[in-house]
Short mmCIF file of all heavy atoms in Angstrom, two decimals:
data_model
loop_
_atom_site.label_atom_id
_atom_site.label_comp_id
_atom_site.label_asym_id
_atom_site.label_seq_id
_atom_site.Cartn_x
_atom_site.Cartn_y
_atom_site.Cartn_z
N GLU A 97 114.12 40.27 117.89
CA GLU A 97 115.10 39.63 117.03
C GLU A 97 114.45 38.59 116.13
O GLU A 97 113.51 37.89 116.53
CB GLU A 97 116.20 38.97 117.87
CG GLU A 97 117.15 39.96 118.54
CD GLU A 97 118.37 39.27 119.13
OE1 GLU A 97 118.45 38.03 119.03
OE2 GLU A 97 119.22 39.98 119.68
N ILE A 98 114.95 38.51 114.92
CA ILE A 98 114.46 37.53 113.95
C ILE A 98 115.20 36.21 114.17
O ILE A 98 116.43 36.19 114.32
CB ILE A 98 114.70 38.02 112.51
CG1 ILE A 98 113.89 39.30 112.26
CG2 ILE A 98 114.34 36.94 111.50
CD1 ILE A 98 114.26 39.99 110.96
N ASP A 99 114.47 35.12 114.19
CA ASP A 99 115.09 33.80 114.31
C ASP A 99 115.48 33.25 112.94
O ASP A 99 116.63 32.86 112.72
CB ASP A 99 114.14 32.83 115.01
CG ASP A 99 113.85 33.23 116.45
OD1 ASP A 99 114.80 33.57 117.17
OD2 ASP A 99 112.66 33.22 116.83
N TRP A 100 114.51 33.20 112.02
CA TRP A 100 114.75 32.63 110.71
C TRP A 100 114.29 33.58 109.62
O TRP A 100 113.26 34.26 109.76
CB TRP A 100 113.98 31.31 110.53
CG TRP A 100 114.58 30.14 111.25
CD1 TRP A 100 114.29 29.71 112.51
CD2 TRP A 100 115.58 29.25 110.75
NE1 TRP A 100 115.04 28.60 112.82
CE2 TRP A 100 115.84 28.30 111.75
CE3 TRP A 100 116.27 29.14 109.55
CZ2 TRP A 100 116.75 27.26 111.59
CZ3 TRP A 100 117.19 28.12 109.38
CH2 TRP A 100 117.42 27.19 110.40
N VAL A 101 115.04 33.62 108.53
CA VAL A 101 114.69 34.42 107.36
C VAL A 101 114.36 33.47 106.21
O VAL A 101 115.13 32.55 105.90
CB VAL A 101 115.85 35.35 106.94
CG1 VAL A 101 115.51 36.06 105.63
CG2 VAL A 101 116.14 36.37 108.03
N ILE A 102 113.20 33.69 105.59
CA ILE A 102 112.86 33.02 104.33
C ILE A 102 113.17 34.02 103.23
O ILE A 102 112.64 35.13 103.22
CB ILE A 102 111.37 32.64 104.28
CG1 ILE A 102 110.94 31.93 105.57
CG2 ILE A 102 111.08 31.80 103.05
CD1 ILE A 102 111.64 30.62 105.82
N ALA A 103 114.03 33.65 102.30
CA ALA A 103 114.48 34.58 101.27
C ALA A 103 114.19 34.01 99.88
O ALA A 103 115.04 33.37 99.25
CB ALA A 103 115.98 34.85 101.43
N PRO A 104 112.98 34.25 99.37
CA PRO A 104 112.63 33.75 98.03
C PRO A 104 113.04 34.72 96.93
O PRO A 104 113.15 35.92 97.16
CB PRO A 104 111.11 33.62 98.10
CG PRO A 104 110.71 34.71 99.04
CD PRO A 104 111.84 34.88 100.03
N GLN A 105 113.27 34.18 95.75
CA GLN A 105 113.68 35.00 94.62
C GLN A 105 112.49 35.29 93.71
O GLN A 105 111.79 34.37 93.28
CB GLN A 105 114.77 34.27 93.83
CG GLN A 105 115.32 35.05 92.66
CD GLN A 105 116.58 34.40 92.09
OE1 GLN A 105 117.68 34.66 92.54
NE2 GLN A 105 116.40 33.53 91.11
N VAL A 106 112.26 36.56 93.41
CA VAL A 106 111.12 36.97 92.59
C VAL A 106 111.17 36.32 91.21
O VAL A 106 110.14 35.92 90.66
CB VAL A 106 111.08 38.51 92.44
CG1 VAL A 106 109.95 38.92 91.50
CG2 VAL A 106 110.90 39.16 93.80
N THR A 107 112.37 36.20 90.67
CA THR A 107 112.52 35.68 89.30
C THR A 107 112.47 34.16 89.23
O THR A 107 112.74 33.57 88.18
CB THR A 107 113.84 36.18 88.68
OG1 THR A 107 114.91 35.93 89.58
CG2 THR A 107 113.74 37.68 88.41
N SER A 108 112.10 33.51 90.33
CA SER A 108 111.86 32.06 90.33
C SER A 108 110.42 31.81 90.77
O SER A 108 110.17 31.30 91.87
CB SER A 108 112.83 31.35 91.27
OG SER A 108 114.16 31.48 90.83
N PRO A 109 109.45 32.19 89.94
CA PRO A 109 108.05 32.10 90.35
C PRO A 109 107.46 30.70 90.31
O PRO A 109 106.35 30.48 90.79
CB PRO A 109 107.33 33.01 89.34
CG PRO A 109 108.16 32.85 88.10
CD PRO A 109 109.58 32.73 88.56
N ILE A 110 108.18 29.75 89.72
CA ILE A 110 107.65 28.40 89.57
C ILE A 110 107.84 27.63 90.87
O ILE A 110 108.76 26.82 91.03
CB ILE A 110 108.33 27.65 88.40
CG1 ILE A 110 108.33 28.51 87.15
CG2 ILE A 110 107.61 26.34 88.13
CD1 ILE A 110 106.97 28.93 86.67
N ARG A 111 106.98 27.92 91.81
CA ARG A 111 107.01 27.23 93.11
C ARG A 111 105.61 27.25 93.71
O ARG A 111 104.74 27.99 93.26
CB ARG A 111 108.01 27.89 94.06
CG ARG A 111 107.54 29.18 94.65
CD ARG A 111 108.45 29.71 95.74
NE ARG A 111 109.60 30.41 95.22
CZ ARG A 111 109.58 31.69 94.83
NH1 ARG A 111 108.45 32.37 94.89
NH2 ARG A 111 110.65 32.27 94.37
N ASP A 112 105.40 26.45 94.73
CA ASP A 112 104.15 26.44 95.48
C ASP A 112 104.42 26.90 96.90
O ASP A 112 105.57 26.85 97.39
CB ASP A 112 103.55 25.03 95.53
CG ASP A 112 103.18 24.50 94.15
OD1 ASP A 112 102.27 25.08 93.55
OD2 ASP A 112 103.80 23.51 93.72
N ALA A 113 103.37 27.31 97.59
CA ALA A 113 103.50 27.64 99.00
C ALA A 113 104.02 26.43 99.78
O ALA A 113 104.77 26.58 100.76
CB ALA A 113 102.16 28.10 99.57
N LYS A 114 103.67 25.23 99.32
CA LYS A 114 104.10 24.02 100.04
C LYS A 114 105.61 23.86 100.01
O LYS A 114 106.19 23.26 100.93
CB LYS A 114 103.42 22.78 99.46
CG LYS A 114 103.86 22.43 98.05
CD LYS A 114 103.15 21.17 97.55
CE LYS A 114 103.62 20.80 96.13
NZ LYS A 114 102.93 19.59 95.63
N ASP A 115 106.27 24.38 98.97
CA ASP A 115 107.73 24.30 98.92
C ASP A 115 108.34 25.12 100.06
O ASP A 115 109.26 24.67 100.74
CB ASP A 115 108.25 24.83 97.57
CG ASP A 115 107.82 23.95 96.40
OD1 ASP A 115 107.96 22.73 96.50
OD2 ASP A 115 107.33 24.51 95.40
N ILE A 116 107.82 26.32 100.25
CA ILE A 116 108.30 27.16 101.35
C ILE A 116 107.93 26.55 102.69
O ILE A 116 108.72 26.57 103.64
CB ILE A 116 107.73 28.59 101.21
CG1 ILE A 116 108.31 29.25 99.95
CG2 ILE A 116 108.05 29.42 102.44
CD1 ILE A 116 107.76 30.62 99.66
N MET A 117 106.75 25.97 102.78
CA MET A 117 106.33 25.30 104.01
C MET A 117 107.27 24.15 104.35
O MET A 117 107.59 23.91 105.52
CB MET A 117 104.89 24.80 103.88
CG MET A 117 103.86 25.92 103.79
SD MET A 117 102.20 25.36 103.36
CE MET A 117 101.77 24.44 104.85
N ASN A 118 107.72 23.42 103.32
CA ASN A 118 108.67 22.34 103.55
C ASN A 118 109.98 22.88 104.12
O ASN A 118 110.60 22.27 105.00
CB ASN A 118 108.95 21.59 102.24
CG ASN A 118 107.79 20.73 101.79
OD1 ASN A 118 106.93 20.38 102.59
ND2 ASN A 118 107.75 20.40 100.51
N GLY A 119 110.42 24.04 103.60
CA GLY A 119 111.64 24.66 104.11
C GLY A 119 111.50 25.07 105.57
O GLY A 119 112.41 24.86 106.37
N ILE A 120 110.35 25.62 105.92
CA ILE A 120 110.10 26.02 107.31
C ILE A 120 110.08 24.80 108.22
O ILE A 120 110.63 24.81 109.32
CB ILE A 120 108.78 26.79 107.41
CG1 ILE A 120 108.89 28.13 106.66
CG2 ILE A 120 108.39 27.04 108.87
CD1 ILE A 120 107.58 28.88 106.55
N SER A 121 109.45 23.73 107.74
CA SER A 121 109.38 22.50 108.53
C SER A 121 110.77 21.94 108.81
O SER A 121 111.06 21.51 109.93
CB SER A 121 108.53 21.46 107.78
OG SER A 121 108.49 20.23 108.47
N ILE A 122 111.63 21.95 107.79
CA ILE A 122 113.01 21.46 107.98
C ILE A 122 113.76 22.36 108.96
O ILE A 122 114.51 21.88 109.81
CB ILE A 122 113.73 21.40 106.62
CG1 ILE A 122 113.09 20.31 105.74
CG2 ILE A 122 115.22 21.12 106.80
CD1 ILE A 122 113.59 20.30 104.31
#
Side-chain angles (χ1 to χ4, degrees):
E97 288 191 359
I98 296 169
D99 295 314
W100 284 92
V101 174
I102 311 297
Q105 182 168 273
V106 176
T107 51
S108 296
I110 311 301
R111 76 171 81 82
D112 297 295
K114 67 179 182 181
D115 294 313
I116 294 176
M117 293 171 68
N118 288 340
I120 294 173
S121 177
I122 293 171

